[in-house]
Amino acid sequence: MLLSEELKWRGFVHQSTFNELTDLDKSTLTFYWGVDPSADSMTIGNLAAAMLVKCLIKHGYKPVLLVGGATGLIGDPDGKADERSIKPMTEIQHNKEAIIKEYRNLFSGVDLKIVDNYDWFKGMTYLDFLRDVGKHVPMSQMLAREFVQTRLGENGSGISYAEFSYVLIQAYDFLVLNDRYGVSLQVCGSDQWGNSIAGVDLIRRKTGKEAHVYSVPLIVNKATGKKFGKSEEGAIWLNPTKTTPTTFYQFWINADDAGVEDYLKVYTELDPSSVSAIMQEQLQNPEKRPAQKLLAHEVTKLVHGPVQTQAAEAVTEVLVDNSRIAEISDEVAAVLRAEVSSATTNSGGTIVDALVAAGLAVSKTDARRLLQSNAISINGQKVSRDNFIPEDFINGRLLIRRGKAFKDTAVIELG
């Protein structure tokens, strides 16, 4: 399959400066993709762009990955209604190191060139910047940006000179990478199109060379029509300390039926025959959600590795009552405790006390009310009694739940 064909099949066709998509098949280019260290992790929004990067690498394109130590000190204002807070250098440094670690994890086995734009900005004077960059960027171009018009409009919050100039910093990145490493293509998210085009224009004005931009489309949840990648708790992060591997896995396994085929194409490296086969199985057994299970397995393995994926799958099986908690290993039990609340009890302990200790009830009165209203289950079976019985515990533990939500589940173990 040619690169242009794979981009079409995966749904990666969006804005581009190439005349024809097939232009990408004619030669391999050196390209760059950058992430600002505004947080100490990327999200699955970034992951969509990373999968486009992996696709380009597979077809022989050479990557340069940028971490925005300089741009992170300002913060991209595009899409933001208000001025960003300035982050301290120590936080930026921590975030840079975390992003670089995720780069190396996602692109393991690839000969990577990782750069930091702070390296070429830290010694640059203000006058140098005005002469080398500002002189070549028309004000009309900068003022025409949609977010600038919004900020400066009647009900806008205004914009500082620092945020207004952000686009110049990113444009200069492209110029530097073009000069030092022969980068002639920038890959970006759909929200970075304007910043990236500024780099193409700067390279043309300064050097007369041709450069290009290719953006990944915004991934949309077809069931809601909203941007894909948010949960009730917020963003889905790649950092396991921000979104645990099990929570990450469960996000994917709960993907909507309408969009699961698209997500398989964007977020995995499965080939067309594999995706076609699993979607056929999905049609035959929709209640078993085979496509969501494969999606969750593949994406979690890519981001967190096979060991964490196996643990996430085992914990999820327990939480949906497809396997008894007694059957899991101590290692999986430890992962389960990290995902849900837990408490210990003894032979004289009661369900009422355990519900309070695990945070599933605010008081003993509340616990008794929940039991009487048939809202409590033990190992998947509804209970209304106040006390445990020996059969509740197998291998010294049980799973107790209030209602149906995973978050309202607790592990109770004999102490």
Side-chain angles (χ1 to χ4, degrees), residues 244-262:
T244 66
T246 300
T247 301
F248 187 85
Y249 177 88
Q250 289 170 0
F251 171 82
W252 296 101
I253 210 166
N254 288 320
D256 57 290
D257 290 336
V260 67
E261 183 174 4
D262 290 344

Side-chain angles (χ1 to χ4, degrees), residues 28 70 106-107 119 131 210 221 237 262 285 291 308 315 324 385 412 414:
T28 56
L106 287 175
F107 302 102
D119 290 339
R131 289 171 63 89
E210 183 179 59
N221 183 323
W237 303 92
D262 290 344
N285 301 289
Q308 292 289 351
V315 168
R324 297 175 67 107
R385 49 188 160 84
I412 307 299
L414 291 173

Side-chain angles (χ1 to χ4, degrees), residues 168-336:
L168 301 181
I169 302 174
Q170 189 167 324
Y172 187 65
D173 288 344
F174 202 167
L175 179 67
V176 170
L177 294 175
N178 179 265
D179 177 62
R180 295 186 182 181
Y181 306 111
V183 170
S184 58
L185 170 64
Q186 181 179 357
V187 169
C188 65
S190 58
D191 60 337
Q192 289 293 306
W193 178 256
N195 291 337
S196 303
I197 286 295
V200 169
D201 191 57
L202 181 61
I203 290 171
R204 179 182 58 80
R205 289 173 181 271
K206 286 275 291 184
T207 71
K209 296 179 182 178
E210 183 179 59
H212 291 280
V213 179
Y214 194 101
S215 70
V216 65
L218 181 69
I219 311 301
V220 175
N221 183 323
K222 290 184 176 180
T224 63
K226 297 180 180 179
K227 181 179 178 180
F228 181 72
K230 298 286 185 179
S231 69
E232 290 181 7
E233 291 74 30
I236 303 299
W237 303 92
L238 307 193
N239 186 328
T241 65
K242 296 172 79 71
T243 298
T244 66
T246 300
T247 301
F248 187 85
Y249 177 88
Q250 289 170 0
F251 171 82
W252 296 101
I253 210 166
N254 288 320
D256 57 290
D257 290 336
V260 67
E261 183 174 4
D262 290 344
Y263 309 148
L264 282 164
K265 293 176 180 179
V266 170
Y267 287 104
T268 79
E269 295 181 279
L270 295 171
D271 58 30
S273 62
S274 298
V275 173
S276 178
I278 197 67
M279 292 312 300
Q280 185 61 37
E281 186 179 343
Q282 182 90 344
L283 285 173
Q284 295 171 352
N285 301 289
E287 72 285 351
K288 294 184 178 180
R289 299 172 68 79
Q292 282 88 348
K293 289 180 180 179
L294 180 60
L295 173 69
H297 176 86
E298 290 293 323
V299 185
T300 308
K301 184 174 66 173
L302 171 69
V303 174
H304 296 297
V307 174
Q308 292 289 351
T309 300
Q310 289 172 7
E313 289 171 333
V315 168
T316 300
E317 286 294 300
V318 171
L319 291 175
V320 298
D321 298 325
N322 288 335
S323 67
R324 297 175 67 107
I325 189 173
E327 298 168 357
I328 64 175
S329 66
D330 289 343
E331 290 78 11
V332 172
V335 175
L336 180 60

